[in-house]
Amino acid sequence: MGSDGRMHPWGRGDRGAAVADVQAVLQGLGLLPPADDAGRPADEAVFDEATELAVRHFQQVRGLSVDGRVGEETYRAMGEARWSLGDRLLHYDPERPVRGDDVIGLQERLLELGYDAGPADGIFGPGTEAGLRAFQRDYGLTADGTCGPGTLRALRQLGRKVTGGRPQLLRQSASFVESGPHLIGRRIVVDPGHGGNDLGYTAGETTEADLVFDLASRIEGRLAAAGATVYLTRGRDQSPSVAERTAFANQARADLMISLHLDAHGSEHARGVAAFYYGTGSGASSTVGEQFANLARREVVARTGLLDLGSHPKTWDLLRLTSMPAVRLDCGYLSHPVDRLLLLDARLRGHVAQAVLAAVQRLFLPAEADPPTGTLTLPAKA
Ligand SMILES: [Zn+2]
């Protein structure tokens, strides 16, 4: 399932002032034509087919799960999409970090100019402030960490110093390589999706929540045996929110987070394994996340015979709010008869765990020592 959002989502047939708000944002973005019923009170606005189409379009271009409904994640993304660079003063507020498309605009500009402003994630954090102050100092501006009219003017006047370098991504890769080849001292968070009353997808007695918990436990065992320090985000009967899961991983100062889900689809033909890493359509992404998504997916495919559905950039909160590379792996379709049979087989789940261990080891091994997919069998204790 795409989102664990807690807000009751708005969808087709809902009406009221909140729907009018959603429509106003979509109109502002040019995704929905202006209403021809001007003068009608806002609380009579109806979430109609055109609204749903516009929401789907919005979700598509923002890398969100496309369901045509406005849940927590989509609602927040809409709030952030209202802003473009120059609309307001931007500065670091530790209590309520400023979020929005204008922040992404600032971060991307700083990164283009060669300043380390952290990931271009649309959240004005301490990294953004440090990058902004460094820029202000270099260009003789007051280094107050606030992006106001003077700073904006300077940012706009400067030519592009760095072209195509994506310096923040290079930095991320470099610090990753420096931290060494083996798993001792690595902190890895494994996140089984759903849990507690949230069963995820179900097929008869089988629930996504139980199966991914079993997978997570197997992965935990193998990683721990290889020397890593492993944390699970939940127990068997707990169902933390996405915010709790990401906060947990951040507090654990994890080097890597692996989130596990299964899929289901109305069509019984849908099957296979997909991986997701943080990335926006405009090119900002987590290099290490993408690399691990590819390694994990290919290892799972090579060792299980599940169909390969590729790796995809997403801006899901789980991937975006984590400060370490985070990857979500969707390990097969519970709605597909063969995938389901495979997933119910404990040996296959063991192969998936072995595949994830191999992918983690490959991620931390130097490139020249990297063995071909499906072949790595390091001894449990390196
Ligand atoms: Zn799920």
Side-chain angles (χ1 to χ4, degrees), residues 90-95 97-98 103 106-108 110-111 115-138 141-147 151 155:
L90 295 174
H91 61 94
Y92 177 49
D93 178 350
E95 299 294 316
V98 184
V103 178
L106 172 64
Q107 290 168 329
E108 287 183 340
L110 288 170
L111 291 164
Y115 292 90
D116 186 358
D121 58 2
I123 306 170
F124 198 116
T128 316
E129 185 187 39
L132 180 59
R133 278 185 197 274
F135 167 78
Q136 289 174 323
R137 254 191 315 274
D138 287 357
L141 302 159
T142 313
D144 58 2
T146 295
C147 183
T151 303
L155 283 170

Side-chain angles (χ1 to χ4, degrees), residues 263 273-278 289-290 293 310-314 316 319 326-330:
D263 260 319
V273 179
F276 306 93
Y277 56 94
Y278 176 77
E290 182 173 2
S311 301
H312 310 277
K314 292 286 173 189
W316 293 332
L319 306 176
V327 163
R328 177 173 139 171
L329 205 54
D330 283 18

